Amino acid sequence: MLRVYLSGEIHTDWRDQITEGAAGLDIRFDGPVTDHGASDDCGVAILGAEDDKYWHDHKGAMLNAIRTRKGLADADVVVVRFGEKYKQWNAAFDAGQAAALGKSLIVLQQPEHDHALKEVDAAALAVAREPAQVVQILRYVLTGQLPG
Amino acid sequence: MLRVYLSGEIHTDWRDQITEGAAGLDIRFDGPVTDHGASDDCGVAILGAEDDKYWHDHKGAMLNAIRTRKGLADADVVVVRFGEKYKQWNAAFDAGQAAALGKSLIVLQQPEHDHALKEVDAAALAVAREPAQVVQILRYVLTGQLPG
Amino acid sequence: MLRVYLSGEIHTDWRDQITEGAAGLDIRFDGPVTDHGASDDCGVAILGAEDDKYWHDHKGAMLNAIRTRKGLADADVVVVRFGEKYKQWNAAFDAGQAAALGKSLIVLQQPEHDHALKEVDAAALAVAREPAQVVQILRYVLTGQLPG
Amino acid sequence: MLRVYLSGEIHTDWRDQITEGAAGLDIRFDGPVTDHGASDDCGVAILGAEDDKYWHDHKGAMLNAIRTRKGLADADVVVVRFGEKYKQWNAAFDAGQAAALGKSLIVLQQPEHDHALKEVDAAALAVAREPAQVVQILRYVLTGQLPG
Amino acid sequence: MLRVYLSGEIHTDWRDQITEGAAGLDIRFDGPVTDHGASDDCGVAILGAEDDKYWHDHKGAMLNAIRTRKGLADADVVVVRFGEKYKQWNAAFDAGQAAALGKSLIVLQQPEHDHALKEVDAAALAVAREPAQVVQILRYVLTGQLPG
Amino acid sequence: MLRVYLSGEIHTDWRDQITEGAAGLDIRFDGPVTDHGASDDCGVAILGAEDDKYWHDHKGAMLNAIRTRKGLADADVVVVRFGEKYKQWNAAFDAGQAAALGKSLIVLQQPEHDHALKEVDAAALAVAREPAQVVQILRYVLTGQLPG
Amino acid sequence: MLRVYLSGEIHTDWRDQITEGAAGLDIRFDGPVTDHGASDDCGVAILGAEDDKYWHDHKGAMLNAIRTRKGLADADVVVVRFGEKYKQWNAAFDAGQAAALGKSLIVLQQPEHDHALKEVDAAALAVAREPAQVVQILRYVLTGQLPG
Amino acid sequence: MLRVYLSGEIHTDWRDQITEGAAGLDIRFDGPVTDHGASDDCGVAILGAEDDKYWHDHKGAMLNAIRTRKGLADADVVVVRFGEKYKQWNAAFDAGQAAALGKSLIVLQQPEHDHALKEVDAAALAVAREPAQVVQILRYVLTGQLPG
């Protein structure tokens, strides 16, 4: 079985596209909590409110780290998607952890970000543009089958 | 001796501020090549031109990775500065590597980025706003002396 | 599946509260032998009596270490509870091992111990006050669901 | 050269006794900041005040962790002293880290704590009662010379 | 269960001979994609054509590395076969990775290559001449049964 | 499940005593090939005769190492038995590997060997005299139940 | 200081070209014994003759491995040169070890070997054609200076 | 510099022969305390007498382990000598630790022990009969020079 962690952008349905496209392959997919509100507020919702926004964020980020660490540690392959918007530093941060842990890294991003992502791409084994390509990679890696 | 790697933003003189502020302390500082042009073009300048901008960037990013890996591997402390502009995914990428390698991470950034950097900050041992604070941290860590 | 090791205080039913509260989640819980007498005397009961109380204790602590090491090594998450009484150095010792092994650490303790536990808390991803909060964290980490 | 980290109790002069007793041996000693006030307040003194005592403590503990991690990582031998008073959970926490990192652990403590410390002692290569014994151990380890 | 990775030469049926010979043993076999064309072209078939043959090859080699890394990381035993023809540097490269990862290495090669392979053989636990010998080794390792 | 590797002496039925005594516990036992003749001759039987007794032995020892490495790597607990006779350096060698790999080590030996085994015992979590004690330890570690 | 291990082809003066070209840079170079005869015969010259050529080679390869392991383990950067002739499996074997150990790998080879070396190149941070390019890379990595 | 740990037999002058023979080479030698009485009694001499001979031995073995661990951890090469007499389980135990730590192992022993040491030898890179051969190996490894 291949363990694949799907990191990064949470506003489009790219995870579903990959998961559905890979149906039938011996893969287990993991990823972060994709409910943006829950992800931001989990810390204070469970452990109590904070006056200071910094600590509000901090408590949430720490809880989310429990899930991320587990997902990255268990993964054979880490796919990191950079979307069109936002800073997405957490995506690059996950990519850095994946690289240092020796995981096979696949980056999913559009060409306009090529220059800004060149250090991340340099640590990746593939740079894909579409979720369908990630599915094709995973299928090829597991079965040797190419598309078409 | 403390080994400190100064990662991230290369357009202001924050590295100099820290290095000069820490004069007299038993610290060795390392960091990336900060000549932007050289950093972008090193790959093709040494290993030959590429028609495709993607591979132009790629060859350069790979050479820079030799320096970054060495710097991160040798470091006890990694300071990552996020500036006002640009995507700075390489900074977050270095922070992820540092975290996964168990290095002590110090983030240097302004409050307007607190929310976007919350996952990175959650892995840090300090979030500083000014280079002078980084110097104060390093002095305290080495000598126990507090400012003022 | 998430592996959770429940370390620390053995005089109240906090482990049961967590285990029961987390029923239905894909978690395997482990922990130390919680029969205080057995835990203290296991060494001499199996390997022979000692005249010197120090070696009596030592032989028992060594046998218990077989279980603790296995539990910590296998764990994704280590929850360490500090109770109201006793020195509880073994709890802090387990927390130190968990931190050095890169496990996600959750501390369960009352506010009056905040200052004394600040170094342990600084290595934790969550500081909870009630077993129910630990359950809520585990549920959130596995399912993304928040309480309420 | 032997690197020795002296962890734990900071209210008596045991570190000086060991350092002076070991004069002439090829040892480098490290340890935490022993100025109690500085150690408690370093976080807010450098990074800004906190309303909440918990975060006040937290910021300080994080900064101190930079020093502790470096000291433990570099050490061949970690000596942990448990004094007469206080919870001293940070001492046990350091001992746990040292054990998990495979460092040679020496515990320095009085017999009345033997039972409470049995798990820590079980991971140690020596349990000493007096600083002078630690000096004798270090001299023996480096030179083969016994006292007397 | 024993995990065995079958690396190297892809032009004869040696993998089938081993897999069939080992039928009934508790072994999981893995190996590279053995469809030569697919292996060479997978990169451009999935991620887009390249003008430069070097990058064409590169993109394919990177995708194949996802499979190789997973196979080597999961393996208990790595069998590397050197055939009669070609450079087969990828076989020796896999052997080097296996050795550095501490895997049990079995080399399968003919005597005329003994001198050229002496460094690789020196890191191996067995040098076999025929696939049937590899089967006999695996059977012995798992069951203690010798041939004949 | 607990993985236990039973290393050392192969002339008495101590492995059977432990395996049978531990029936019903969630343990998987592994160990070396205990057919002395097969163990000595496996190398030449599979890979071809050697004129020199040294290389005859060497080829066999290398094949046995495939099994030993796998067994030790997978084990949580390594039990090493030293019998009455022979040099048994392989037993001590396995114990050294187990210690360096951080496995929980149990030594099974008679008191007349205490002095000669003091370095090995010093790395062990238990020194037992009878196979039944090993069973009692394993039962206690898994269930908390003491004998009698 | 940068530690660079120069692996591979031993029949031309490429090592001298690099070492001399890099004069003045803070680099320590290591590499294998380049006296072909000594390298082949060291085993029997020191440890006694062997009738069988296989064991003659084996004893030599084992001694050379002491040097290679030390050189690779200490290196920050491993340069592997593939020459025009011979199988050079030891070069690819060293490259595999370097990759698995996380070293920065530079491959030095001519374009006609690009296809055969694609798996090795895919693990490298640079593929150079001339020793002078390796010097330029090392100078850039250490000083940020580009050629010309 | 090469770090060499000389483990095993302490009743003949083989360490002196090697150290003196290697004069002028860039090597640092380490080894156990070779004063038999001190080595046996160090524990009780420093930490207090024990009634039970087992604990007397234990306390000494633990102190000696501080030195052995440091020596093995720092070593590039571990030489283990097995003499004519005694059980010498500590020598085989050190060899096992060295093997598991990935150190280059050289065994120094007489042919009558070849069969009994075959598992240890199988993990070694050289089996020497005389201290002079160890010197020749070290000289060759460092300088490429062969004897004669």
Side-chain angles (χ1 to χ4, degrees):
Chain A
M1 190 180 64
L2 200 71
R3 302 283 302 252
V4 178
Y5 188 81
L6 302 171
S7 168
E9 185 252 302
I10 61 170
H11 302 93
T12 66
D13 68 344
W14 69 277
R15 282 186 183 79
D16 295 337
Q17 290 182 51
I18 290 176
T19 308
E20 286 160 23
L25 294 173
D26 188 18
I27 299 178
R28 171 170 173 162
F29 290 101
D30 293 293
V33 170
T34 55
D35 174 337
H36 201 156
S39 173
D40 271 8
D41 297 332
C42 60
V44 296
I46 296 174
L47 297 169
E50 292 289 332
D51 292 335
D52 188 334
K53 184 62 161 55
Y54 180 85
W55 297 118
H56 175 114
D57 281 354
H58 190 70
K59 282 165 93 166
M62 300 289 264
L63 287 198
N64 287 318
I66 300 176
R67 182 167 170 138
T68 309
R69 280 196 197 179
K70 163 81 174 159
L72 290 175
D74 285 357
D76 299 303
V77 176
V78 176
V79 181
V80 184
R81 175 167 166 88
F82 292 84
E84 312 302 293
K85 295 186 294 189
Y86 309 109
K87 293 290 188 183
Q88 306 182 78
W89 284 321
N90 59 326
F93 183 68
D94 281 1
Q97 291 179 275
L101 294 169
K103 306 297 178 182
S104 288
L105 180 65
I106 299 175
V107 177
L108 180 52
Q109 47 114 324
Q110 295 312 304
E112 66 261 33
H113 289 153
D114 278 3
H115 187 68
L117 281 170
K118 65 185 199 293
E119 287 83 7
V120 179
D121 290 353
L125 290 176
V127 176
R129 305 307 187 183
E130 299 299 332
Q133 290 173 310
V134 175
V135 173
Q136 290 169 0
I137 291 170
L138 296 175
R139 175 167 294 118
Y140 172 72
V141 165
L142 281 172
T143 70
Q145 241 184 302
L146 288 180
Chain B
M1 191 179 65
L2 199 72
R3 301 283 302 253
V4 177
Y5 188 82
L6 301 173
S7 168
E9 188 250 302
I10 61 170
H11 302 92
T12 65
D13 68 345
W14 68 278
R15 281 186 184 80
D16 295 336
Q17 290 182 49
I18 290 176
T19 309
E20 286 159 22
L25 293 174
D26 188 17
I27 299 180
R28 174 174 170 158
F29 290 100
D30 293 291
V33 171
T34 55
D35 174 337
H36 201 157
S39 173
D40 270 9
D41 298 333
C42 59
V44 296
I46 295 175
L47 297 169
E50 292 290 332
D51 292 335
D52 188 333
K53 183 60 161 56
Y54 179 84
W55 297 117
H56 175 115
D57 280 354
H58 190 69
K59 282 165 92 167
M62 299 290 263
L63 288 199
N64 287 318
I66 300 175
R67 181 166 170 139
T68 310
R69 280 196 198 178
K70 163 79 173 161
L72 290 175
D74 286 356
D76 300 302
V77 175
V78 176
V79 180
V80 184
R81 175 167 165 89
F82 291 85
E84 311 303 291
K85 295 186 292 189
Y86 308 112
K87 293 290 189 184
Q88 307 183 79
W89 284 321
N90 59 327
F93 183 68
D94 281 0
Q97 291 179 274
L101 294 169
K103 305 297 176 182
S104 288
L105 182 64
I106 299 174
V107 178
L108 179 54
Q109 46 114 326
Q110 295 312 305
E112 66 261 34
H113 289 154
D114 277 4
H115 188 67
L117 281 169
K118 66 186 198 292
E119 286 84 6
V120 179
D121 290 352
L125 291 177
V127 176
R129 304 308 186 185
E130 300 299 333
Q133 290 173 310
V134 175
V135 173
Q136 290 170 359
I137 290 171
L138 297 175
R139 174 166 295 119
Y140 172 72
V141 165
L142 281 172
T143 69
Q145 243 185 299
L146 287 180
Chain C
M1 191 179 65
L2 200 72
R3 301 282 303 252
V4 178
Y5 188 81
L6 302 172
S7 168
E9 186 252 302
I10 61 171
H11 302 94
T12 67
D13 69 345
W14 68 278
R15 282 185 184 80
D16 295 337
Q17 290 183 51
I18 290 176
T19 308
E20 285 159 24
L25 294 174
D26 188 17
I27 299 179
R28 173 175 170 157
F29 289 102
D30 293 292
V33 171
T34 54
D35 174 336
H36 201 157
S39 173
D40 271 8
D41 298 332
C42 60
V44 296
I46 295 175
L47 297 169
E50 292 290 332
D51 291 335
D52 187 334
K53 184 61 162 55
Y54 180 85
W55 297 118
H56 175 116
D57 279 354
H58 190 70
K59 282 165 93 168
M62 299 289 263
L63 288 198
N64 286 319
I66 300 175
R67 182 167 170 139
T68 309
R69 281 195 196 180
K70 163 80 173 160
L72 290 175
D74 286 357
D76 299 303
V77 176
V78 176
V79 181
V80 184
R81 174 167 167 90
F82 291 84
E84 311 304 292
K85 295 185 294 188
Y86 308 112
K87 293 290 189 183
Q88 306 183 78
W89 284 321
N90 59 326
F93 183 70
D94 281 1
Q97 291 180 274
L101 294 169
K103 307 296 177 182
S104 289
L105 181 65
I106 299 174
V107 177
L108 180 52
Q109 46 115 324
Q110 294 312 305
E112 67 261 34
H113 288 153
D114 278 3
H115 188 67
L117 281 170
K118 67 184 196 293
E119 286 85 6
V120 179
D121 290 353
L125 290 175
V127 176
R129 304 309 186 183
E130 299 299 332
Q133 290 173 309
V134 175
V135 173
Q136 290 170 358
I137 291 171
L138 296 174
R139 174 167 294 119
Y140 172 72
V141 165
L142 281 171
T143 70
Q145 242 184 298
L146 288 181
Chain D
M1 191 179 67
L2 200 71
R3 302 282 303 251
V4 177
Y5 188 80
L6 302 172
S7 168
E9 185 251 303
I10 60 169
H11 302 93
T12 65
D13 68 345
W14 69 277
R15 281 185 184 81
D16 295 337
Q17 290 183 50
I18 290 177
T19 308
E20 287 160 21
L25 294 173
D26 188 18
I27 299 178
R28 174 173 169 158
F29 290 100
D30 293 292
V33 170
T34 53
D35 174 336
H36 201 157
S39 172
D40 270 9
D41 297 333
C42 60
V44 296
I46 296 175
L47 297 169
E50 293 290 332
D51 291 335
D52 188 333
K53 184 61 161 55
Y54 179 85
W55 297 117
H56 176 115
D57 280 354
H58 189 69
K59 282 166 94 167
M62 300 289 263
L63 288 198
N64 287 318
I66 299 176
R67 181 167 170 137
T68 309
R69 281 196 196 178
K70 163 78 173 162
L72 290 175
D74 286 356
D76 300 301
V77 175
V78 176
V79 181
V80 184
R81 173 165 167 91
F82 291 85
E84 311 303 293
K85 295 187 292 190
Y86 308 112
K87 292 291 189 185
Q88 306 183 78
W89 283 321
N90 60 327
F93 183 68
D94 281 0
Q97 291 179 275
L101 294 169
K103 306 297 177 181
S104 289
L105 181 64
I106 299 174
V107 178
L108 179 53
Q109 45 113 326
Q110 295 311 306
E112 66 261 35
H113 288 152
D114 277 3
H115 187 68
L117 281 169
K118 66 186 197 293
E119 287 84 7
V120 179
D121 290 352
L125 290 176
V127 176
R129 305 308 186 184
E130 300 298 332
Q133 290 174 309
V134 175
V135 173
Q136 290 169 358
I137 291 171
L138 297 175
R139 174 166 294 120
Y140 173 72
V141 164
L142 280 173
T143 69
Q145 243 185 299
L146 288 181
Chain E
M1 191 180 62
L2 199 72
R3 301 283 302 253
V4 178
Y5 188 81
L6 302 172
S7 168
E9 187 251 303
I10 61 170
H11 302 93
T12 66
D13 69 344
W14 69 277
R15 280 185 184 81
D16 296 337
Q17 289 182 51
I18 289 175
T19 308
E20 286 160 22
L25 293 174
D26 188 17
I27 300 178
R28 172 171 174 162
F29 290 101
D30 293 291
V33 170
T34 55
D35 174 337
H36 200 156
S39 172
D40 271 8
D41 297 333
C42 59
V44 296
I46 295 174
L47 297 170
E50 292 290 332
D51 292 334
D52 189 333
K53 183 60 161 54
Y54 179 85
W55 296 119
H56 175 115
D57 281 354
H58 190 70
K59 281 165 92 167
M62 300 289 264
L63 288 198
N64 287 318
I66 300 175
R67 181 166 170 139
T68 309
R69 278 196 198 179
K70 163 79 174 160
L72 290 175
D74 286 357
D76 300 302
V77 175
V78 176
V79 181
V80 184
R81 174 167 167 90
F82 291 85
E84 312 302 294
K85 295 187 295 189
Y86 309 110
K87 293 292 188 183
Q88 305 182 80
W89 283 321
N90 59 329
F93 182 69
D94 281 0
Q97 291 178 274
L101 294 169
K103 305 298 177 179
S104 289
L105 180 65
I106 298 175
V107 178
L108 179 54
Q109 46 113 325
Q110 296 311 305
E112 65 262 34
H113 288 153
D114 278 3
H115 187 67
L117 281 169
K118 65 186 197 295
E119 287 84 7
V120 180
D121 291 353
L125 290 176
V127 176
R129 305 307 187 183
E130 300 299 332
Q133 290 173 311
V134 175
V135 174
Q136 290 170 0
I137 290 169
L138 297 174
R139 175 166 295 117
Y140 172 72
V141 165
L142 280 172
T143 70
Q145 241 184 303
L146 287 180
Chain F
M1 191 180 62
L2 199 72
R3 300 283 302 253
V4 178
Y5 188 81
L6 301 172
S7 168
E9 187 251 302
I10 61 170
H11 302 94
T12 66
D13 69 344
W14 69 278
R15 281 185 184 79
D16 296 336
Q17 290 183 48
I18 290 176
T19 308
E20 285 161 22
L25 294 174
D26 187 18
I27 299 178
R28 173 173 171 160
F29 290 101
D30 293 292
V33 170
T34 54
D35 174 336
H36 201 158
S39 173
D40 271 8
D41 297 333
C42 60
V44 295
I46 295 174
L47 296 169
E50 292 290 333
D51 291 336
D52 189 332
K53 183 60 162 54
Y54 179 84
W55 297 117
H56 175 115
D57 279 355
H58 190 71
K59 282 166 91 168
M62 300 288 264
L63 289 199
N64 287 318
I66 299 175
R67 181 166 171 139
T68 309
R69 280 195 197 179
K70 163 77 172 162
L72 291 175
D74 286 357
D76 300 302
V77 176
V78 176
V79 181
V80 184
R81 174 168 167 88
F82 292 85
E84 312 302 292
K85 294 186 295 188
Y86 308 111
K87 292 290 189 185
Q88 306 184 80
W89 284 322
N90 60 327
F93 183 69
D94 280 1
Q97 291 179 274
L101 295 168
K103 307 298 177 180
S104 289
L105 180 65
I106 299 174
V107 178
L108 180 53
Q109 45 112 326
Q110 295 312 305
E112 65 263 34
H113 289 153
D114 277 3
H115 187 68
L117 281 170
K118 66 186 196 294
E119 286 85 7
V120 179
D121 290 353
L125 290 176
V127 176
R129 305 308 186 182
E130 299 300 331
Q133 290 173 310
V134 175
V135 173
Q136 290 169 358
I137 291 170
L138 297 174
R139 175 166 294 118
Y140 172 72
V141 165
L142 281 172
T143 69
Q145 240 185 301
L146 287 181
Chain G
M1 191 179 62
L2 199 73
R3 300 283 302 253
V4 178
Y5 188 82
L6 302 172
S7 168
E9 187 251 303
I10 61 170
H11 301 92
T12 66
D13 68 344
W14 69 277
R15 280 184 185 81
D16 295 336
Q17 290 182 50
I18 290 176
T19 308
E20 286 160 22
L25 294 174
D26 188 18
I27 299 179
R28 173 173 172 160
F29 290 101
D30 293 293
V33 170
T34 55
D35 174 337
H36 200 156
S39 173
D40 271 9
D41 297 333
C42 60
V44 296
I46 295 174
L47 297 170
E50 291 290 332
D51 291 335
D52 188 334
K53 183 60 162 54
Y54 179 85
W55 297 117
H56 176 115
D57 280 355
H58 190 70
K59 282 165 92 167
M62 301 288 265
L63 288 198
N64 286 317
I66 299 175
R67 182 166 169 138
T68 309
R69 280 196 197 178
K70 163 78 173 163
L72 291 174
D74 285 357
D76 299 302
V77 175
V78 176
V79 181
V80 184
R81 175 167 166 88
F82 292 85
E84 311 303 291
K85 294 185 294 188
Y86 309 111
K87 293 292 190 182
Q88 305 183 81
W89 284 321
N90 58 327
F93 183 68
D94 281 0
Q97 291 179 275
L101 294 169
K103 306 297 177 180
S104 289
L105 181 64
I106 299 175
V107 178
L108 179 54
Q109 47 111 328
Q110 295 311 304
E112 65 261 34
H113 289 153
D114 277 3
H115 187 67
L117 280 170
K118 65 186 199 291
E119 286 85 5
V120 179
D121 290 353
L125 291 177
V127 176
R129 304 309 185 182
E130 300 299 333
Q133 290 173 310
V134 175
V135 173
Q136 290 169 359
I137 291 170
L138 296 175
R139 174 166 295 117
Y140 172 72
V141 165
L142 281 172
T143 70
Q145 241 185 302
L146 287 180
Chain H
M1 191 180 63
L2 200 72
R3 301 283 303 252
V4 178
Y5 188 82
L6 302 172
S7 168
E9 186 251 302
I10 60 170
H11 302 92
T12 65
D13 69 344
W14 69 277
R15 280 184 185 82
D16 295 337
Q17 291 183 49
I18 290 177
T19 308
E20 287 160 21
L25 294 173
D26 188 16
I27 299 177
R28 172 171 173 162
F29 291 101
D30 293 292
V33 171
T34 54
D35 174 337
H36 200 156
S39 172
D40 271 8
D41 297 333
C42 60
V44 295
I46 295 174
L47 298 169
E50 291 290 333
D51 291 336
D52 188 332
K53 183 61 162 54
Y54 179 85
W55 297 118
H56 175 116
D57 280 355
H58 190 70
K59 282 166 93 167
M62 300 290 262
L63 288 199
N64 287 317
I66 299 176
R67 181 166 171 138
T68 309
R69 280 196 195 180
K70 163 77 173 162
L72 291 175
D74 285 357
D76 300 301
V77 175
V78 176
V79 181
V80 184
R81 175 167 166 90
F82 291 85
E84 311 303 293
K85 295 188 291 189
Y86 309 111
K87 293 291 190 186
Q88 305 182 79
W89 283 321
N90 59 327
F93 182 69
D94 281 1
Q97 291 179 275
L101 294 169
K103 306 298 178 180
S104 289
L105 180 65
I106 299 175
V107 178
L108 179 54
Q109 46 112 326
Q110 295 311 304
E112 66 261 34
H113 288 153
D114 277 3
H115 188 68
L117 281 170
K118 66 186 198 293
E119 286 84 7
V120 179
D121 290 352
L125 290 177
V127 176
R129 304 310 186 182
E130 300 299 333
Q133 290 174 311
V134 175
V135 173
Q136 291 170 359
I137 291 170
L138 296 174
R139 175 166 293 119
Y140 172 72
V141 165
L142 280 172
T143 70
Q145 240 184 303
L146 288 180

